[in-house]
Amino acid sequence: MFKNALLLVNGNTDQSMIQKNIEATAGILFKHIEQLNIERTRYKGHTEFICKEWGHDYELIIIIGGDGTVHEAVNGLAVLDNPPPLGILPGGTCNDFSRALSIPQQLRRATESIMNGTIRYIDVGQINDRYFTNFCGIGLIADTSDNINDNWKGRLGRFSYFVSALHTLTITAPFSFKLTIDGYEIVDEAVMLLIANGNFLGTNQLPFQHIILDDGECNIFVVNQGGASLLREYLQAKNPFAWNPDKNDIRHYQGRKIELQTSSPMKVDTDGEIYMQTPVSITTQSEKIPLLVPSQ
């Protein structure tokens, strides 16, 4: 039983959906929380501001939103000493990080699941002075996020990601990079660099077996020009897609400290948000933020 908690609802959702989400969750939350305050976020960055300024006032912060809302909440809480646990309820387009935490995607079930769950620490990636939970990347992945048409997103929802990715694949071009992983240096060309902490992207589980959320390391995938066709197969696959690690089209590394430079500044996608450029320095932070997750 929590003494008090704050429920943050993404204000970008229309009023009827906000009301529906509150009705689906509030009754369950009140069974586990003595005092529940509900706040609607008003603008981009508001979730981060509230978590940073009010985080220490609550025993639990709960958010209803997508990966962008998670990204804001984590960046607000990460700067606090002893931040409260964060509970994530899916309310966005893809909800990839909640999928990585095995949180049900139906809102009522998700609420029951986390409120009867447990506290777990997972790795958080620190990129320069910011944080990400699911991934950061450059090249194809950043271009895909940048090219998503708002009209597509409104009409197609999560499928807008696949539409943009398939379109971006046709115009992607290699870039030069220098990557240093725990002191090991790689200089090469690629069409995409993905530094993954979570294991879902665009609602699909990534076809890599190495990704563990609390192993203290990030997984780095270097995709060359030949790997672009493999990504197309992955996006279009109807059945679970298996990646053959013996192929050289996609190379995999693991590490705790990563330095990334490119021949010219490139946009960096962090959890679907684009506001940074290379060069970047990335370190894995363990036990940074406690999460309320379903029991295993």
Side-chain angles (χ1 to χ4, degrees), residues 1-9 21-39 54 57-64 87 89 111 114-115 292:
M1 193 76 176
F2 293 92
K3 181 179 179 181
N4 65 2
L6 175 64
L7 174 63
L8 291 176
V9 183
N21 289 345
I22 292 174
E23 290 174 357
T25 57
I28 300 168
L29 295 175
F30 277 121
K31 295 178 182 178
H32 301 268
I33 301 164
E34 292 183 16
Q35 180 180 343
L36 176 67
N37 291 342
I38 301 174
E39 181 78 17
W54 301 356
D57 296 336
Y58 294 93
E59 291 187 355
L60 173 67
I61 304 287
I62 305 166
I63 56 174
I64 302 177
L89 297 175
T111 309
I114 67 168
M115 295 311 298
L292 191 60

Side-chain angles (χ1 to χ4, degrees), residues 94 96 134-135 141 161-162 192 194 199-206 234-235:
C94 292
D96 284 327
N134 202 43
F135 75 89
I141 191 165
Y161 182 87
F162 300 106
M192 182 174 86
L194 174 67
N199 58 357
F200 276 82
L201 193 63
T203 74
N204 276 12
Q205 187 165 10
L206 293 171
Y234 163 66
L235 289 167

Side-chain angles (χ1 to χ4, degrees), residues 41-61:
T41 61
R42 304 291 176 179
Y43 52 85
K44 189 175 181 64
H46 198 193
T47 296
E48 181 174 341
F49 174 82
I50 291 173
C51 288
K52 180 180 179 181
E53 296 298 321
W54 301 356
H56 280 147
D57 296 336
Y58 294 93
E59 291 187 355
L60 173 67
I61 304 287

Side-chain angles (χ1 to χ4, degrees), residues 92 138 158:
I138 63 172
R158 64 189 179 91

